[in-house]
Amino acid sequence: MHESSKEANNQYLLEIGLEEMPAGMILPAVEQLKKAAEKSLESNRLQSAKVQPFSSPRRLALLISELPEKQEDRIEELKGPPASIARDQDGAWSKAALGFAKKNGIEPDSLELRNFDGRDYLYTAKNVQGASLKDILKQEAPEWIKGLNFPKNMRWGDYKMRFARPVRWLVSLWNEEVLHFSLEMVEAGKHTLGHRFLSPKPSELLHAQDYHSHLHKHFVEADFNNRRNEILSQIRELESKHDCKVEIADDLLEEVTNLVEWPQAMMGGYDENFLGLPESVLVTSMAVHQRYFPVYSNQTDSGGNKLLPQFIAIRNGNEQHLETVCQGNERVLRARLSDARFFYEEDQKKPLQHFQELLERVVFFQKRGSQHERVQRIQTLSLKLGEMLQFNEEELQKVKRIAELCKFDLQTQMVYEFPELQGMMGEVYSALKGEESQVSRGIREHYFPRTSGDSLPSDQVTLPVALADRMDMLSVAFSLKMIPSGSADPYALRRMAQGVVQIVLGKQLPLGWEEFSSLSVQILRDQQEFTNEPEILEKQLVNFLNQRERWYLQEKGFRHDLIDAVLKPTSGTPLNRLNFASTLSEDLNLPEFKKSVEAVVRAINITNKYAEESQAAKLEEASLTHEAELALYQALEAMALDSESSPQQYLKTLYQLFVILNAG
Amino acid sequence: MSLQNIIMALHDYWNRHGCLLMNPYDVETGAGTMNPMTTLRAVGPEEWNVAYVEPSRRPSDGRYGENPNRLYQHLQYQVILKPSPDNVEELYLKSLEELGVDPLQHDIRFVEDNWEAPTLGAWGLGWEIWLDGMEITQFTYFQQVGGLECHPVSAELTYGLERLAMYLQQVENVFDLEYTNGVSYGAIFKQPEYEHSKYTFEIADTGKLFDWFNEFEIESRKALDADLVFPAYDYVLKCSHVFNQLDAANAISVSARASYIARVRTLAQDVARQFLEERRKLEFPLMKDRVAAQTWIESLSSGESSTS
């Protein structure tokens, strides 16, 4: 016990060497690995150890420090059979007692009695030797690796193991000593690999603690944050050198950081004639297809910073021959932009009508008609919703036009080649053909929100189309029995329904799921033949939206019991329920609230005992004679609530009831 | 380096690394993967290392020879290494060095890209290889082919020969490539590009194509019923090519599309299963480890499926 508590300054390094991992899997994987290590250290009573993660495309690693040589020895306290059965009639040790002693390897006479919860039991304490850390790690480390989960797994060679990408080497180092273990295809050792090209030979690690600096010497920055900051500072340097502004999207920066081990930023350019293309086309070509950062002018004019014909790319390597690499990247971008310009010009030669007609040829879902028919349904539903929202004639005209044009761009060559530009090209092309700006913007924004954190459509007139688009998709999918279960949701229907909830609650629309569901099912049935029971379909849709409403409230941070409570009544609008949740969550922790609820619940429980009587009986003011009775009756009458009452009124009534009940 | 010399350099390199050098298949294919030297040989336990050039037809990419980057037919250099060796990435990178690509002078990257061929019931995980930002190779570890789990796993390297050559020759239009000394790619391929595009989009009798699809399907089934997997597979390829032609001519609606793909896949899967069975009857002659071969033979004979 004493020996093991001496300085806990040992270090253990585990490195899994891999073929290039998908960029998006690296950080979640190393986080999982860290959690697994911490959990297994904790279950071995080694909470004080520090676990530091490292990662790059070719490695996942942990450096664990402040480890003792061995676990602390400890005294394990053992409770045996009750004293009442410890001895037989003759006073000799009973079988139960002898068994307990034998099991723990002690003489029966050294057993003690100890009181637990008012009863005596046999008791002994055992000294348990702490295990050596090396033994523990040797056993546990391979389990951490095998326990990793990836969104997609693969096998390779003739091996059975599944992993994100093939495992090629392993380092397992206790200070300077290898802790041997092996996976199916590789044995753990002390040799690691540096940068694939700048340091191609395996090198020996002398001590676990050297990991980061050793790799640095071999052209690998193994710390994600360092690598990220290195890229940032290189970009900032180019910014000031070229007097420009670089747009750095967080997700692109993270992805690029996970595509390189030794980052080198460079600035390339393209012909400024390409600037005639829409900015979204240029930015998508650069950022999405090539993982470049777009470059903007430092001067701001009315339309924000102007895009410059330049980009920043990050190479996995050093400065040698950077010119060649840069020219290569410029050529690739040039080819892409030439393609895009060709599509852009071709698309503009045709009227919008042409693309709308093409939609007739495209099947949306088998047995549910064409895209064109879908657009017609969206239009009908949008107008209905617009009327319910009391839009005026001019607004309804805009809703109609947005709905008519919301999918035409899917038939353009540009969107066929760059699917991520859907909506954006619709906006650009429709504006070029002279559509009003609200209509053009609506074509783009009816896809909003695309994620849980995304912005909502900015114009009122877009909202009905955004809702109708999603409700139609949900109705069609549900009518084909494609209802998401578990993690399987290939058509992203949950996100669709979340979009509906986000729009209704974010924009405070006084509409409910029942209306949405019955309208969209009705419109679908008017157009397509199918045999589903409409009532069942509507109910499934309402349930699905209710689940997403729950998700929304959870995201807003409401307490689970509060969410349960507000979602219980099926009547009322979602907006109403949100208001209840907001109002109640302020009072939820007040002692007054708790007491009031308890008092009212008590009263309800009492009256429930006489459920039949209270149903049958009819309270008439005239028959009340006692003054107190009359006062109570009148007080209660004044408090009558209905579905129109606000959450604040409900709350106020609750407190008033408490006063009355307490007075009684 | 001319395109012809690139092919010769790759042949020489993969020859030195123990590959069988095979020829393009004599039935139309949409990719090197479709050649039975890949599709069928990736199935089952036998070792298989092969390299070949595959002229690959993509009717919907036909552009009358006018687009500098798109072709009705392009050339793939296909390598299959089964089982995938532990140093397969290094082997691939060394092949680039043979073509004069010094990795220290470039930026070579393995960017996640997963592959799927629905008509073959096949999928795999891997990367597209970037050379200074340009995709030059598709690198895939086959996980399933013909609906059967791959065990052992093949590594497939598919070099896009025109892309690679365009980069090495610093050419921006595919037709400007030097095929060999004094002969341009355009001089050879511009006319067929134009004619195949015109035929596909304007001339082809889609009614006939539909009939052929049905007849090829029947014929494939007939061959399969006689346990003749290679002829059966040839007709799968015929079906697939006719389907691609119909698709390019916009003659297949989106809903019908799915069912045509499913028909080709069903055939391909049945052929793959039968191929495995025929190889079993032959006792997997290409397996060097005869003990392992025996285990495979027994496990398959006892009715255990290799897909488990």
Side-chain angles (χ1 to χ4, degrees):
Chain A
M1 186 197 309
H2 317 287
E3 169 196 14
S4 57
S5 60
K6 90 185 168 193
E7 290 144 80
N9 59 0
N10 296 290
Q11 294 185 313
Y12 176 66
L13 170 73
L14 175 69
E15 184 191 46
I16 312 166
L18 297 156
E19 293 186 359
E20 285 75 358
M21 289 255 289
M25 290 188 196
I26 297 174
L27 292 179
V30 78
E31 183 59 29
Q32 267 188 59
L33 189 65
K34 179 170 180 261
K35 288 248 165 69
E38 282 168 345
K39 203 172 151 207
S40 95
L41 289 169
E42 200 184 303
S43 68
N44 281 290
R45 294 171 285 107
L46 296 159
Q47 287 88 334
S48 61
K50 291 217 161 35
V51 184
Q52 195 185 352
F54 292 94
S55 65
S56 81
R58 290 176 78 203
R59 65 204 79 231
L60 302 171
L62 299 177
L63 181 61
I64 308 176
S65 51
E66 297 180 27
L67 287 167
E69 287 285 334
K70 57 197 276 291
Q71 287 174 311
E72 296 211 2
D73 297 340
R74 67 200 161 91
I75 293 166
E76 201 175 332
E77 305 203 316
L78 301 160
K79 186 172 106 175
S84 52
I85 59 161
R87 295 188 188 266
D88 58 23
Q89 288 123 327
D90 310 331
W93 290 110
S94 68
K95 269 193 181 160
L98 290 171
F100 176 64
K102 194 175 170 203
K103 194 175 100 193
N104 293 298
I106 51 167
E107 289 301 316
D109 288 341
S110 59
L111 287 170
E112 297 168 34
L113 284 182
R114 191 172 277 201
N115 193 289
F116 293 91
D117 287 335
R119 266 182 94 184
D120 279 340
Y121 290 85
L122 288 179
Y123 163 90
T124 188
K126 207 165 95 172
N127 255 326
V128 181
Q129 290 274 316
S132 127
L133 254 279
K134 290 197 263 183
D135 289 342
I136 293 175
L137 289 167
K138 234 185 272 188
Q139 218 163 53
E140 298 280 305
E143 299 309 314
W144 306 342
I145 299 173
K146 289 176 200 156
L148 290 178
N149 281 311
F150 303 98
K152 272 195 184 128
N153 283 305
M154 59 169 280
R155 284 186 301 102
W156 63 97
D158 209 357
Y159 308 116
K160 292 190 180 62
M161 183 177 177
R162 285 173 195 274
F163 215 71
R165 284 293 182 274
V167 178
R168 291 304 183 202
W169 77 90
L170 287 170
V171 176
S172 165
L173 211 49
W174 169 264
N175 300 324
E176 301 169 309
E177 179 189 345
V178 174
L179 296 188
H180 293 281
F181 69 84
S182 59
L183 298 175
E184 197 185 350
M185 70 294 303
V186 62
E187 268 196 40
K190 55 177 4 186
H191 286 85
T192 184
L193 281 160
H195 188 276
R196 194 185 268 292
F197 304 116
L198 295 171
S199 178
K201 293 211 164 59
S203 60
E204 185 182 345
L205 265 164
L206 296 178
H207 193 292
Q209 71 187 7
D210 299 339
Y211 183 63
H212 184 258
S213 60
H214 178 94
L215 281 181
H216 212 263
K217 269 186 238 139
H218 291 86
F219 305 99
V220 172
E221 173 51 71
D223 182 299
F224 171 81
N225 287 319
N226 285 359
R227 214 161 59 239
R228 184 177 177 279
N229 293 337
E230 176 63 30
I231 293 174
L232 266 180
S233 77
Q234 288 186 21
I235 293 178
R236 295 301 174 218
E237 211 172 287
L238 285 169
E239 255 182 344
S240 63
K241 190 170 153 199
H242 296 271
D243 189 30
C244 59
K245 193 177 165 335
V246 180
E247 194 66 47
I248 303 177
D250 281 340
D251 49 351
L252 180 61
L253 179 60
E254 182 179 316
E255 186 186 2
V256 167
T257 305
N258 282 320
L259 281 170
V260 297
E261 299 205 291
W262 195 251
Q264 174 63 53
M266 62 191 146
M267 183 175 275
Y270 53 93
D271 192 315
E272 64 181 1
N273 285 327
F274 286 124
L275 290 176
L277 285 168
E279 196 169 309
S280 52
V281 173
L282 293 165
V283 170
T284 302
S285 298
M286 288 187 276
V288 179
H289 298 145
Q290 296 297 130
R291 279 80 159 184
Y292 302 154
F293 296 95
V295 175
Y296 294 83
S297 151
N298 238 337
Q299 279 89 48
T300 322
D301 60 18
S302 57
N305 297 65
K306 210 167 84 61
L307 195 66
L308 296 176
Q310 265 127 32
F311 62 87
I312 285 180
I314 311 296
R315 174 199 198 181
N316 181 29
N318 60 15
E319 284 178 314
Q320 286 173 45
H321 303 278
L322 198 56
E323 198 55 30
T324 315
V325 178
C326 197
Q327 282 167 7
N329 279 280
E330 287 174 345
R331 281 165 40 89
V332 179
L333 185 61
R334 196 153 57 230
R336 277 200 186 279
L337 294 182
S338 304
D339 258 10
R341 182 158 59 194
F342 174 78
F343 303 137
Y344 188 54
E345 285 164 1
E346 286 298 302
D347 286 340
Q348 282 182 58
K349 289 179 187 163
K350 310 210 170 78
L352 302 184
Q353 182 73 22
H354 166 78
F355 299 109
Q356 284 174 277
E357 283 164 8
L358 287 180
L359 288 173
E360 290 172 24
R361 277 205 341 228
V362 182
V363 172
F364 172 51
F365 266 107
Q366 276 191 67
K367 303 193 195 88
R368 293 294 179 271
S370 67
Q371 275 280 12
H372 178 70
E373 287 172 294
R374 165 160 150 80
V375 169
Q376 288 176 329
R377 296 194 300 268
I378 293 175
Q379 206 176 320
T380 314
L381 182 53
S382 300
L383 285 172
K384 279 261 185 330
L385 295 174
E387 282 161 17
M388 287 161 67
L389 293 168
Q390 289 164 351
F391 282 8
N392 63 33
E393 197 45 45
E394 195 197 332
E395 288 166 327
L396 287 174
Q397 278 310 314
K398 285 183 184 151
V399 171
K400 181 162 180 278
R401 192 64 183 150
I402 295 171
E404 262 170 358
L405 293 176
C406 69
K407 304 293 175 196
F408 86 88
D409 65 346
L410 298 182
Q411 287 306 303
T412 61
Q413 290 202 55
M414 186 74 95
V415 174
Y416 183 80
E417 294 291 327
F418 298 74
E420 54 277 80
L421 290 179
Q422 67 171 13
M424 288 183 231
M425 292 322 297
E427 178 180 37
V428 170
Y429 288 142
S430 63
L432 283 170
K433 299 288 180 196
E435 294 292 330
E436 282 179 80
S437 65
Q438 267 189 314
V439 171
S440 290
R441 193 161 51 240
I443 297 170
R444 175 165 57 90
E445 293 191 350
H446 88 280
Y447 288 109
F448 292 10
R450 292 152 299 187
T451 58
S452 61
D454 201 13
S455 42
L456 302 176
S458 51
D459 295 320
Q460 282 289 106
V461 289
T462 310
L463 301 177
V465 186
L467 292 168
D469 178 28
R470 291 168 172 80
M471 283 311 304
D472 182 66
M473 173 75 190
L474 290 170
S475 313
V476 168
F478 276 51
S479 78
L480 292 167
K481 306 212 162 30
M482 295 188 287
I483 301 175
S485 67
S487 60
D489 184 11
Y491 297 101
L493 299 178
R494 288 199 183 90
R495 207 178 59 211
M496 292 271 156
Q498 269 159 221
V500 173
V501 177
Q502 281 169 272
I503 293 170
V504 167
L505 293 179
K507 293 285 180 179
Q508 311 227 324
L509 305 181
L511 304 173
W513 312 146
E514 291 78 9
E515 293 154 305
F516 283 152
S517 304
S518 65
L519 273 175
S520 59
V521 170
Q522 182 60 48
I523 291 167
L524 182 61
R525 275 164 53 85
D526 287 348
Q527 195 195 58
Q528 304 289 330
E529 275 182 29
F530 55 90
T531 54
N532 310 59
E533 287 281 335
E535 293 77 19
I536 294 174
L537 196 51
E538 282 167 32
K539 207 164 170 61
Q540 286 170 331
L541 286 166
V542 171
N543 280 342
F544 194 62
L545 288 162
N546 268 326
Q547 285 166 24
R548 295 297 101 194
E549 182 183 356
R550 174 179 295 275
W551 160 86
Y552 183 90
L553 296 173
Q554 282 165 357
E555 290 284 294
K556 291 273 165 208
F558 289 115
R559 262 169 52 173
H560 285 261
D561 52 351
L562 177 59
I563 296 176
D564 286 340
V566 297
L567 289 183
K568 202 139 214 185
T570 43
S571 59
T573 63
L575 183 59
N576 214 313
R577 296 193 280 269
L578 174 66
N579 287 339
F580 263 102
S582 311
T583 310
L584 286 178
S585 70
E586 285 164 23
D587 283 44
L588 218 45
N589 293 316
L590 299 179
E592 189 190 356
F593 179 82
K594 193 162 179 266
K595 274 188 230 153
S596 306
V597 171
E598 282 166 1
V600 172
V601 169
R602 208 180 312 126
I604 292 170
N605 286 343
I606 292 168
T607 47
N608 275 349
K609 282 186 195 154
Y610 308 100
E612 277 175 36
E613 292 89 328
S614 54
Q615 283 281 315
K618 203 168 160 213
L619 190 58
E620 280 174 38
E621 190 177 359
S623 53
L624 297 172
T625 48
H626 200 284
E627 203 175 317
E629 280 176 351
L630 208 56
L632 177 60
Y633 180 80
Q634 281 161 354
L636 288 173
E637 275 292 275
M639 286 180 214
L641 293 164
D642 58 33
S643 59
E644 302 285 301
S645 309
S646 73
Q648 287 79 6
Q649 282 171 306
Y650 270 94
L651 207 52
K652 197 173 135 210
T653 308
L654 174 71
Y655 295 139
Q656 285 171 341
L657 273 177
F658 175 61
V659 174
I660 294 170
L661 288 167
N662 253 16
Chain B
M1 197 177 233
S2 71
L3 210 156
Q4 188 161 308
N5 282 335
I6 292 174
I7 293 172
M8 286 175 54
L10 288 172
H11 268 345
D12 184 51
Y13 177 81
W14 289 109
N15 173 45
R16 277 184 276 132
H17 285 88
C19 282
L20 298 162
L21 295 186
M22 288 287 145
N23 295 301
Y25 203 49
D26 62 350
V27 178
E28 306 93 327
T29 58
T33 312
M34 314 277 294
N35 186 317
M37 294 292 167
T38 290
T39 311
L40 294 183
R41 299 291 177 175
V43 172
E46 292 169 284
E47 291 107 80
W48 185 251
N49 296 296
V50 66
Y52 54 88
V53 176
E54 188 75 10
S56 308
R57 293 180 190 237
R58 302 266 165 92
S60 58
D61 279 347
R63 294 291 185 274
Y64 296 86
E66 284 166 13
N67 186 301
N69 296 303
R70 255 169 231 249
L71 298 168
Y72 172 94
Q73 182 172 60
H74 70 289
L75 299 172
Q76 294 187 341
Y77 194 91
Q78 170 88 354
V79 180
I80 291 291
L81 303 171
K82 176 190 175 190
S84 67
D86 286 351
N87 63 342
V88 56
E89 284 189 310
E90 286 71 27
L91 279 177
Y92 166 73
L93 291 166
K94 283 265 183 298
S95 78
L96 292 185
E97 290 184 37
E98 298 278 318
L99 303 177
V101 177
D102 174 359
L104 287 174
Q105 297 187 15
H106 294 278
D107 184 26
I108 300 174
R109 224 80 79 68
F110 291 71
V111 181
E112 177 191 15
D113 192 34
N114 304 325
W115 167 85
E116 190 184 9
T119 49
L120 292 177
W123 67 277
L125 299 185
W127 309 272
E128 48 185 49
I129 315 292
W130 285 13
L131 174 60
D132 299 338
M134 177 185 279
E135 184 198 339
I136 52 163
T137 305
Q138 185 79 34
F139 189 138
T140 308
Y141 288 99
F142 284 162
Q143 301 296 302
Q144 222 178 61
V145 172
L148 301 172
E149 200 79 15
C150 294
H151 193 80
V153 166
S154 305
E156 179 195 56
L157 311 173
T158 305
Y159 303 72
L161 283 176
E162 287 89 351
R163 289 270 194 105
L164 193 54
M166 283 167 80
Y167 191 89
L168 296 175
Q169 296 182 21
Q170 301 274 306
V171 159
E172 307 237 342
N173 186 325
V174 65
F175 296 105
D176 294 338
L177 278 174
E178 183 190 58
Y179 195 89
T180 189
N181 218 355
V183 183
S184 74
Y185 190 92
I188 309 166
F189 292 113
K190 194 140 180 151
Q191 183 195 351
E193 278 298 316
Y194 171 80
E195 292 187 0
H196 276 305
S197 303
K198 189 170 171 74
Y199 172 75
T200 301
F201 300 127
E202 302 172 33
I203 308 295
D205 181 341
T206 52
K208 279 226 171 63
L209 289 169
F210 277 117
D211 291 344
W212 289 339
F213 185 95
N214 294 332
E215 285 169 18
F216 290 149
E217 186 186 31
I218 293 167
E219 200 60 14
S220 175
R221 191 53 73 188
K222 197 174 13 159
L224 196 53
D225 288 343
D227 293 348
L228 303 173
V229 287
F230 281 92
Y233 185 68
D234 285 355
Y235 285 108
V236 173
L237 290 179
K238 291 268 182 204
C239 282
S240 170
H241 177 59
V242 167
F243 165 76
N244 288 340
Q245 283 177 296
L246 286 166
D247 201 28
N250 257 321
I252 298 183
S253 75
V254 176
S255 61
R257 206 170 176 275
S259 77
Y260 276 96
I261 290 175
R263 282 164 71 182
V264 180
R265 182 175 54 235
T266 306
L267 273 181
Q269 291 184 344
D270 290 348
V271 170
R273 244 193 313 274
Q274 194 59 40
F275 173 78
L276 185 62
E277 172 59 14
E278 297 303 317
R279 297 304 293 174
R280 183 194 64 79
K281 288 186 204 156
L282 296 171
E283 305 193 329
F284 300 123
L286 290 172
M287 275 183 92
K288 289 191 199 88
D289 182 345
R290 294 317 297 167
V291 178
Q294 205 48 48
T295 314
W296 267 94
I297 293 164
E298 278 159 22
S299 77
L300 289 168
S301 314
S302 66
E304 267 178 50
S305 157
S306 67
T307 56
S308 60

